[in-house]
Amino acid sequence: MTESLLLLVVVVATALAFDFTNGFHDTGNAMATTIATRALKPKQAVLLSASLNLVGAFLSLTVAATIAKGIVDANVVTLGVVLAGLAGGILWNLLTWLLGLPSSSSHALIGGVVGAVLAAAGTSGVLWGGLLAKVLLPALIAPVVAIIVGAIGTRLVTHLTRNVKQEDNDRMFRWGQIGSASLVSLAHGTNDAQKSMGIILLALIAGGAVPADSGVPFWVILSCALAMAIGTYLGGWRVIRTLGKGLVELESRQGMAAETSSAAVILLSSHFGYSLSTTHVATGSILGSGVGMKGASVRWSVAGRMFVAWLITVPAAATVGALAYGLGAVIGGEAGSYVVFGVLIALSAAIWVASRRKPVDHNNVNEEWAPGEGDAPAGTDETVATVDTVDTVDTVEAVDAIRAVDAEESPERAAVGVAGHEQGGDR
């Protein structure tokens, strides 16, 4: 095995590692609401999502072509550039996962690659028109569209089911959630798995393994699909918790409306080849489900931290990518790339060790959102807001307890409480 071939293997392995982090970082996009409303148990949800991500990766290659040939000039890309770009994407993914922030894996990858290309070849190496049209504009438009679609969908669903008993709503819509979440997972596979395919294709072209006009080889499609599916199954529980419990206390009608909205926007973007952030879409749809649900509470302070992370993702990942390329260039030759690879492994291990101090997994992902994790909506008592919108099982238990206390103190107050609960179920 020659040194160049060894470096190509290292770069491909790093790209698959990014795909793996993409899988567990973005599991929450599809399954956070399903887990939060208890439509599926956590492990069942991530297994279903992993299976459908695997299938979705084979359905389209339009986004892979965008990543490989639409954002940077392939003629200036070397294996060192690709490795540095991947380092930027992976480290930003892991950092935001540690903080439980649903940031965009797609934009982290693109930012890392753009930063490495800028460091290697200057501004001429970036196809600014493609970056603007295929990445930056969709990043601005997609969350807004998702919020609007999610709000309209939620308002429509709640209006049509306003006279249905709450327990009947929950039973029916939890089944519907399984279908809509499956559609989101399938859509996620059609969009996100392709990004690593595009990066590996760039590496193969840079390493001379395939011609510049080559399509994505089948083994690349299969390996990327498997890497993302494995990452998805392991579950990014921190991000799932933030999306499922930190933004809006969801009921099943909201969950199904949010998931259906996400799937529609993601599939449409995949059809047109836009490198869309599924995280932006999923988060926007969840926020829309809170806006569209009368009486629901949205934790805008948590959403605000996400928005800040979204704004800095591309420049932050680009900075890391540029620094990684600079480190490799200072050392020089292929040895510099191996040093970059070693530093990436060391920093990734350090982030994982830090995550063990306060682990989040399938056992505690659905615990109530603590005041320290996010501020309650302004002017709202957090406990009251949670009882108003928490999933049906917990709501019934809480209301029953209140009735019991009220009945002892005053039969009239108990009657008022029963009437108020029945009206709330009709919202």
Side-chain angles (χ1 to χ4, degrees):
M1 179 179 290
T2 65
E3 287 188 351
S4 295
L5 182 56
L6 177 60
L7 180 57
L8 178 58
V9 171
V10 167
V11 172
V12 170
T14 306
L16 293 176
F18 172 82
D19 217 16
F20 174 83
T21 66
N22 191 354
F24 76 72
H25 194 283
D26 289 3
T27 309
N29 297 343
M31 290 298 170
T33 60
T34 304
I35 293 171
T37 61
R38 294 177 172 83
L40 285 173
K41 294 179 179 179
K43 282 292 187 180
Q44 293 174 335
V46 295
L47 178 59
L48 177 62
S49 183
S51 302
L52 291 168
N53 263 304
L54 179 64
V55 174
F58 289 90
L59 298 183
S60 172
L61 293 176
T62 309
V63 175
T66 297
I67 295 294
K69 301 171 183 178
I71 294 174
V72 296
D73 184 357
N75 294 320
V76 303
V77 174
T78 65
L79 291 177
V81 168
V82 176
L83 182 62
L86 287 167
I90 290 173
L91 290 176
W92 185 254
N93 258 3
L94 291 177
L95 180 61
T96 51
W97 163 76
L98 177 65
L99 299 174
L101 291 174
S103 70
S104 170
S105 298
S106 309
H107 293 166
L109 175 62
I110 292 168
V113 172
V114 168
V117 168
L118 285 173
T123 57
S124 63
V126 179
L127 305 180
W128 296 104
L131 181 64
L132 179 64
K134 295 288 189 176
V135 179
L136 298 182
L137 285 180
L140 297 174
I141 296 171
V144 177
V145 172
I147 289 174
I148 294 172
V149 174
I152 293 174
T154 301
R155 183 59 61 90
L156 180 62
V157 167
T158 54
H159 177 74
L160 292 175
T161 60
R162 64 189 184 280
N163 295 322
V164 180
K165 291 182 180 179
Q166 185 67 34
E167 55 267 28
D168 293 335
N169 271 329
D170 282 321
R171 184 177 63 255
M172 292 185 295
F173 278 98
R174 282 176 177 172
W175 282 107
Q177 268 195 278
I178 297 174
S180 59
S182 299
L183 188 59
V184 175
S185 294
L186 192 69
H188 182 265
T190 66
N191 197 284
D192 274 40
Q194 296 181 56
K195 289 153 192 173
S196 291
M197 297 178 200
I199 291 298
I200 292 177
L201 181 57
L202 266 179
L204 294 174
I205 294 172
V210 298
D213 59 351
S214 174
V216 182
F218 176 78
W219 68 267
V220 174
I221 300 173
L222 178 61
S223 57
C224 287
L226 288 173
M228 176 166 283
I230 293 170
T232 301
Y233 176 71
L234 292 180
W237 302 111
R238 293 172 181 273
V239 177
I240 290 174
R241 175 165 173 75
T242 300
L243 282 174
K245 305 296 289 187
L247 284 175
V248 181
E249 291 290 352
L250 295 162
E251 67 166 68
S252 56
R253 289 182 294 179
Q254 292 169 277
M256 182 176 172
E259 290 158 356
T260 305
S261 302
S262 297
V265 176
I266 295 168
L267 286 172
L268 190 62
S269 71
S270 294
H271 175 72
F272 288 106
Y274 292 119
S275 182
L276 193 70
S277 167
T278 56
T279 301
H280 291 185
V281 174
T283 305
S285 296
I286 292 172
L287 287 173
S289 75
V291 172
M293 183 73 169
K294 183 179 178 181
S297 298
V298 178
R299 294 187 179 92
W300 291 107
S301 60
V302 178
R305 291 199 297 273
M306 291 185 201
F307 294 151
V308 171
W310 293 359
L311 288 174
I312 66 174
T313 289
V314 172
T319 301
V320 176
L323 290 173
Y325 181 82
L327 174 62
V330 167
I331 297 172
E334 293 188 0
S337 296
Y338 295 132
V339 170
V340 170
F341 183 63
V343 171
L344 172 61
I345 292 175
L347 291 176
S348 300
I351 293 173
W352 183 84
V353 170
S355 74
R356 297 299 89 197
R357 296 174 184 170
K358 191 177 180 182
V360 179
D361 56 27
H362 65 281
N363 294 311
N364 61 357
V365 69
N366 251 353
E367 289 181 359
E368 292 304 318
W369 191 260
E373 292 182 81
D375 299 326
T380 304
D381 179 83
E382 187 170 16
T383 303
V384 173
T386 300
V387 169
D388 187 50
T389 56
V390 78
D391 67 84
T392 304
V393 176
D394 290 344
T395 302
V396 172
E397 292 174 353
V399 171
D400 286 345
I402 293 171
R403 288 180 188 170
V405 173
D406 286 348
E408 293 179 2
E409 295 179 359
S410 168
E412 292 80 5
R413 286 182 61 194
V416 171
V418 170
H421 175 54
E422 290 175 348
Q423 291 174 2
D426 293 336
R427 282 201 303 260

